[in-house]
Amino acid sequence: MAAPRSSAPSAAPALPTLGGKKSSYRERVADALRAALIAGELRPGEVYSAPTLAARFGVSATPVREAMLDLAKEGLVDTVPNKGFRVTAVSEKQLDEYTHIRSLIEIPTVVELATTADPVSLEALRPAAREIVTAAAAGDLIAYVEADIRFHLGLLALAGNAHLVEVVGDLRKRSRLYGLNALVQAGRLKDSAEEHLELLDALLARDEYAVREVMTRHLGHVRGLWAAH
């Protein structure tokens, strides 16, 4: 298994587009920073300057500074005068609350898709599901996060409720995925990744019971694994 990316600056990664909808350069920079934060490469409590982050991502300091101000509005970072931005910490209680809200929204929504979603639209999500598994096996956390968000928000979008997708997207940003590096090193992330393919198969089989079981296991599995490290 390839070693996970370290938090030290390295070759500039490609800027992702989380959720597959944003297009402006500032938003793409914000997505790259958000993905690094979610994956644990930008660590809670540490202060990062705009020039340092700009060098890391191979962009200028101005869009990084603007993007970090956007993340500050989301509560993901705090502004530190004359120094940069400090990544905010998320408590265990907050993580439990975020996951509980997600379960109340996502589980029944996805279960309903077992009888309403177009099979062609469901099958179109399979490449993203496979990317999640591939990224997990390679220990590529940024690719994992990008594909994971694209899959889950894309799946929820099939319900036709844009506000629901926005709410879940915000919850995912705020909860983050702490401990992914530890799971990669333990070889446990791929099992969780493969649940995306299992979920798709259950949806295509129109098996509501199986969909509920996989979704319940997946959300519980994610909280249990990621928050414990």
Side-chain angles (χ1 to χ4, degrees):
M1 176 181 294
R5 299 179 186 180
S6 69
S7 58
S10 57
L15 297 180
T17 304
L18 302 184
K21 294 182 179 180
K22 299 178 181 178
S23 57
S24 78
Y25 190 69
R26 172 175 173 169
E27 289 172 325
R28 290 178 63 203
V29 171
D31 275 347
L33 292 169
R34 187 179 290 112
L37 188 153
I38 290 173
E41 295 192 3
L42 300 181
R43 301 185 180 284
E46 293 192 17
V47 176
Y48 298 89
S49 69
T52 298
L53 291 172
R56 176 193 182 110
F57 289 97
V59 298
S60 64
T62 297
V64 169
R65 191 174 291 108
E66 294 174 342
M68 291 299 275
L69 289 174
D70 290 339
L71 299 188
K73 293 177 183 178
E74 297 174 9
L76 301 181
V77 300
D78 293 321
T79 302
V80 180
N82 303 318
K83 291 186 177 181
F85 302 88
R86 178 184 292 111
V87 177
T88 59
V90 180
S91 69
E92 293 291 316
K93 184 175 186 296
Q94 287 174 308
L95 287 170
D96 283 333
E97 291 173 346
Y98 294 147
T99 304
H100 179 59
I101 297 171
R102 282 187 60 193
S103 68
L104 292 176
I105 297 174
E106 292 185 64
I107 293 175
T109 299
V110 175
V111 169
E112 186 175 356
L113 290 176
T115 56
T116 62
D118 174 23
V120 174
S121 297
L122 289 171
E123 193 61 47
L125 293 170
R126 192 171 296 277
R130 287 173 176 159
E131 287 178 37
I132 296 170
V133 175
T134 299
D140 189 337
L141 303 184
I142 296 299
Y144 182 99
V145 169
E146 198 278 333
D148 184 72
I149 291 177
R150 182 153 36 90
F151 175 88
H152 281 285
L153 297 190
L155 179 61
L156 292 173
L158 298 182
N161 188 329
H163 294 292
L164 182 150
V165 176
E166 182 179 355
V167 168
V168 173
D170 182 67
L171 287 169
R172 291 175 65 89
K173 294 173 189 174
R174 292 179 180 278
S175 60
R176 279 161 264 178
L177 310 182
Y178 292 130
L180 286 180
N181 274 302
L183 291 178
V184 171
Q185 293 168 359
R188 299 165 62 191
L189 188 59
K190 192 169 182 288
D191 290 339
S192 178
E194 289 175 344
E195 290 175 347
H196 298 84
L197 292 168
E198 184 181 355
L199 176 61
L200 268 186
D201 290 340
L203 285 164
L204 288 164
R206 303 299 194 189
D207 189 335
E208 295 178 67
Y209 177 83
V211 170
R212 182 178 298 277
E213 191 279 324
V214 176
M215 276 299 297
T216 301
R217 172 163 36 97
H218 186 61
L219 285 179
H221 182 58
V222 167
R223 175 65 183 108
L225 288 180
W226 293 351
H229 294 270

